[in-house]
Amino acid sequence: MSDDGHEQNGHEKAPSRRRRRFEGISSRTYEHPADRSALVALRKLSGFDTVFKALSGLLPERSLRLLFLSDSVRVSDAQFTHLDVMLRDACHILDLEKVPPMYVNQDPQPNAMCIGLNDPIIVVTTGLVELLDEEEMRAVIGHEVGHALSGHAVYRTILLFLTNLAVRVAWIPLGNLAIMAIVTALREWFRKSELSADRAGLLVGQDLRASMRGLMKIAGGNHLHEMNVDAFLAQAEEYESAGDLRDSVLKILNVLPRTHPFTAVRAAELKKWAESRDYQRIMDGHYPRRDADKDTSVSDSFRQSAASYAGDVKNSKDPLMKLVSDIAGGAGDLGGRVRRGFGGFGSGTSADAGTERPPREGSSDDEDTGGRG
């Protein structure tokens, strides 16, 4: 690993300040376990990428490239030079030899994306450029370069294609259901890939507070003097733990159609990773190398993914996840727990409603229940 400021690996510009460089780093280093297991499995399928890339004729990729070339501004040493420096910095730090083309697109909505089947391209909107300061923007560009290094662009482009296809065949009941099942699964992977790319952005920027500020601004706009990172992270804590089972179900329904995790949740996840031993080991130079990717075990990756999900369930403060964890641990009184979780199935209903009890001696059933409505 090198952190000097000299030209390396064919890049014209090295990082503008001393940051650690991760020579030969594998994307497995920062990928979320659920993201990594899917990618390892896909990469092991012989000819999978070839088949996907063969679909490029069916996809609007060429059209998108021409669109951005003709109706956006391409970042270079002559246009948006500060973004060009950040892009080359990010590729240098993550040791990505081929610098992807990057475009600035006129759009007030803050956004960035990395798409493409054969050669990824990065697009950032003017809304994002105007919203973020230099260090925050550096983390975002690192995020997109992380997508490129992981090969996310190929599969994300397929997701866009399938989503559009689902809309077109919505009138075919079974066909639409089959495609939407695939889209739902891909969206779950997509959300995990965003957590992976957030980690890549931190490895590039190497400034956790800047990463936090960037996510906070995306959620609340350019009013940094009115916002506080710690209070923003407290929102994520409240979101996870507050409410009952009804809120847990609503959380699931809210997130299903989304391609990105909620912003406060992303900030909390990134902070947790930044405080982990894994992150410290990476910063100390101990990380998987790209030349060992071919030897990665699919079964090991799936086990790590399963362990990650199991750990999330076990440690979660969400009411539904706590119930699942308790059931897995052999906790009894499932019916009572579910009733209490849903607030007794209605206001004014006791937690033990529906449980048969013998009447007290010398009293009628009416007298026993009288006074409780």
Side-chain angles (χ1 to χ4, degrees):
M1 178 167 54
S2 170
D3 57 3
D4 61 39
H6 299 293
E7 180 179 336
Q8 297 185 44
N9 202 28
H11 294 300
E12 296 177 7
K13 299 175 183 176
S16 55
R17 71 168 172 83
R18 291 180 68 85
R19 292 180 173 85
R20 292 186 179 276
R21 179 174 184 254
F22 307 100
E23 189 172 359
I25 189 172
S26 167
S27 61
R28 291 180 290 117
T29 302
Y30 56 80
E31 285 163 355
H32 184 281
D35 174 28
R36 183 168 62 243
S37 64
L39 291 174
V40 167
L42 290 173
R43 290 163 185 157
K44 290 287 184 179
L45 290 177
S46 179
F48 184 80
D49 282 358
T50 303
V51 172
F52 263 16
K53 290 175 181 179
L55 292 172
S56 60
L58 302 175
L59 301 173
E61 179 185 359
R62 296 178 69 88
S63 175
L64 285 174
R65 290 180 183 277
L66 289 172
L67 177 63
F68 290 125
L69 185 62
S70 63
D71 204 33
S72 300
V73 175
R74 183 161 59 190
V75 172
S76 67
D77 58 2
Q79 301 185 115
F80 286 102
T81 54
H82 70 295
L83 296 182
D84 183 57
V85 171
M86 292 183 201
L87 176 61
R88 294 181 181 277
D89 282 0
C91 293
H92 178 88
I93 290 168
L94 294 182
D95 200 12
L96 184 65
E97 186 172 355
K98 186 174 182 180
V99 180
M102 184 162 75
Y103 294 88
V104 176
N105 180 244
Q106 171 61 33
D107 185 344
Q109 183 72 25
N111 197 14
M113 58 182 173
C114 179
I115 57 173
L117 287 173
N118 293 305
D119 297 300
I121 61 174
I122 296 171
V123 181
V124 296
T125 64
T126 52
L128 190 69
V129 174
E130 292 163 4
L131 177 66
L132 304 182
D133 67 26
E134 180 178 342
E135 292 304 310
E136 296 157 5
M137 193 70 197
R138 189 181 299 279
V140 168
I141 291 176
H143 174 112
E144 300 305 327
V145 170
H147 279 314
L149 181 59
S150 288
H152 287 154
V154 174
Y155 313 116
R156 291 159 70 89
T157 304
I158 292 296
L159 175 59
L160 292 173
F161 170 68
L162 288 175
T163 303
N164 291 334
L165 181 61
V167 173
R168 294 179 185 178
V169 300
W171 60 277
I172 307 175
L174 293 180
N176 183 51
L177 285 174
I179 292 175
M180 286 311 298
I182 298 172
V183 167
T184 299
L186 279 172
R187 279 177 179 157
E188 167 60 14
W189 162 76
F190 201 112
R191 289 189 290 270
K192 294 300 185 288
S193 76
E194 287 300 317
L195 299 180
S196 298
D198 284 344
R199 296 174 178 184
L202 179 58
L203 291 179
V204 167
Q206 299 174 24
D207 184 343
L208 178 61
R209 300 298 288 187
S211 294
M212 296 289 101
R213 291 198 312 270
L215 289 168
M216 191 168 60
K217 282 185 177 180
I218 290 172
N222 193 18
H223 302 281
L224 196 58
H225 63 287
E226 298 283 358
M227 296 185 285
N228 179 278
V229 170
D230 293 330
F232 186 60
L233 291 170
Q235 290 180 217
E237 176 78 12
E238 181 181 347
Y239 171 79
E240 182 184 8
S241 59
D244 55 26
L245 290 181
R246 291 169 295 188
D247 296 288
S248 299
V249 173
L250 289 173
K251 291 176 192 176
I252 295 171
L253 294 176
N254 284 341
V255 80
L256 277 178
R258 293 176 61 92
T259 56
H260 288 57
F262 293 113
T263 316
V265 175
R266 287 173 63 184
E269 287 286 333
L270 184 60
K271 184 174 185 291
K272 182 168 65 176
W273 185 71
E275 294 172 347
S276 70
R277 185 171 179 271
D278 287 343
Y279 177 74
Q280 189 55 56
R281 282 180 56 81
I282 295 167
M283 296 306 294
D284 289 341
H286 305 291
Y287 52 84
R289 260 57 176 187
R290 210 171 298 162
D291 54 14
D293 283 350
K294 63 182 182 301
D295 301 321
T296 306
S297 167
V298 176
S299 58
D300 286 348
S301 297
F302 276 115
R303 278 194 291 270
Q304 292 170 7
S305 176
S308 172
Y309 274 115
D312 288 345
V313 171
K314 181 179 179 180
N315 299 321
S316 176
K317 297 178 182 178
D318 178 82
L320 179 58
M321 293 299 101
K322 289 172 68 176
L323 177 63
V324 171
S325 181
D326 288 345
I327 293 171
D333 189 23
L334 174 59
R337 281 176 171 271
V338 171
R339 282 192 295 274
R340 289 191 294 273
F342 279 104
F345 293 127
S347 59
T349 306
S350 66
D352 60 351
T355 303
E356 294 185 5
R357 294 177 300 172
R360 293 194 303 271
E361 185 177 354
S363 66
S364 68
D365 286 348
D366 290 341
E367 289 171 339
D368 186 48
T369 58
R372 288 194 294 163

